[in-house]
Amino acid sequence: MTTYEVTLKKQLCDGIFACLTRDPRFVEDDDGLATIDPDGDPVYDGDGEVREENGDVVATFDDDRIEEARQAAAACPTNAIVVEEVDG
């Protein structure tokens, strides 16, 4: 498995939600923009740690779903999502 962080830069998010169709862990937040919810996927049990950091949403996962997160980042037209492998 791979440990990775997904950073959602809320200031850049425009609420286009292209990420939601690539990775169901991205969901709509109360502010009408995207956020990350490890339990948002109805198929897989959510397992991740989410925190807010300088207005951004940062989630750490240790699973085999990094490619889904990368697809969500690639689909984001405002480049608001960054996916990086980290030491577990």
Side-chain angles (χ1 to χ4, degrees):
M1 292 208 212
T2 303
T3 302
Y4 57 100
E5 279 188 353
V6 180
T7 302
L8 174 60
K9 299 176 182 183
K10 293 288 275 195
Q11 191 172 33
L12 295 179
C13 182
D14 237 3
I16 297 166
F17 301 122
C19 56
L20 277 65
T21 63
R22 304 320 192 277
D23 187 335
R25 295 174 291 184
F26 288 90
V27 297
E28 186 175 355
D29 203 357
D30 293 337
D31 60 6
L33 301 175
T35 192
I36 304 168
D37 180 1
D39 296 321
D41 190 331
V43 176
Y44 296 99
D45 287 334
D47 189 24
E49 188 177 301
V50 180
R51 67 187 183 281
E52 188 172 318
E53 196 172 283
N54 298 322
D56 297 337
V57 178
V58 181
T60 304
F61 297 99
D62 184 15
D63 57 32
D64 59 356
R65 300 178 65 199
I66 190 171
E67 192 53 39
E68 289 177 48
R70 286 180 175 152
Q71 288 175 9
C76 180
T78 62
N79 296 318
I81 302 168
V82 177
V83 180
E84 299 176 305
E85 286 189 43
V86 296
D87 293 331

